[in-house]
Amino acid sequence: MSKIKTLGEILKLKNIKISGAESCTGGMVAAEITSVDGISAVFNESFVTYSNDAKHRNLGVSLEILEKFGAVSEECAGEMAQGAAARSGADIAFSVTGIAGPTGGTKEKPVGTVCFGVFFKGVTLTRTAHFKGDRESVRRSSVDFVIDMMLSAVGS
């Protein structure tokens, strides 16, 4: 069974409501989640918040976090996941924010830098990964990475 189907089955079995917030993946994680038959029982909504303004306005990411750490930071990813959970009433929420390229990277945050958050049972886990490849492969790797994080959180 694929990882997303395994995650979906666990969420449905345990009645764990899920939501998320995506930036650089632009809804790809939500698309994966909705590929699971019957997932509407636990998946109500997700947010694509590409701009800093959208992260602040729709998820409540603080302007201080955005100014001090930037959108591509574990601090931002954590607040994105918390905001998605709070606004949707979800039990678990994920977030993805990063630089998929081919432009936009800096010395401190090169192309392929992606930050993730998973909020579950009052705990927020964050991670940063550095992926190689073109824009599509960075985005695809990001989807796989956050699915693995959620599987770990819910106890695959």
Side-chain angles (χ1 to χ4, degrees):
M1 184 181 301
S2 71
K3 288 180 183 182
I4 192 60
K5 289 200 183 333
T6 300
L7 176 63
E9 292 308 313
I10 292 168
L11 296 175
K12 291 187 295 182
L13 182 68
K14 295 181 178 182
N15 195 32
I16 299 170
K17 307 286 189 221
I18 183 172
S19 182
E22 299 180 66
S23 187
C24 67
T25 48
M28 290 173 69
V29 181
E32 283 288 304
I33 292 168
T34 59
S35 73
V36 177
D37 182 53
I39 201 69
S40 61
V42 294
F43 183 60
N44 186 42
E45 63 188 314
S46 194
F47 303 85
V48 175
T49 54
Y50 209 68
S51 70
N52 285 358
D53 177 62
K55 289 173 182 67
H56 173 67
R57 197 169 20 86
N58 296 311
L59 300 171
V61 175
S62 74
L63 294 175
E64 181 183 349
I65 290 290
L66 291 167
E67 290 167 10
K68 186 173 181 180
F69 301 102
V72 181
S73 66
E74 289 188 24
E75 292 82 1
C76 181
E79 286 201 352
M80 287 172 68
Q82 292 165 9
R87 281 153 175 76
S88 68
D91 303 305
I92 187 170
F94 65 88
S95 65
V96 183
T97 182
I99 306 164
T103 60
T106 64
K107 186 175 181 180
E108 298 78 25
K109 296 178 185 178
V111 167
T113 302
V114 184
C115 299
F116 303 90
V118 171
F119 174 84
F120 185 53
K121 293 186 175 180
V123 176
T124 305
L125 302 171
T126 60
R127 301 282 184 273
T128 299
H130 301 278
F131 302 113
K132 301 280 186 217
D134 63 9
R135 182 177 183 81
E136 189 59 25
S137 65
V138 168
R139 294 173 72 201
R140 183 74 246 156
S141 294
S142 297
V143 171
D144 294 340
F145 191 94
V146 80
I147 289 169
D148 284 342
M149 280 183 72
M150 287 188 284
L151 277 168
S152 292
V154 298
S156 62

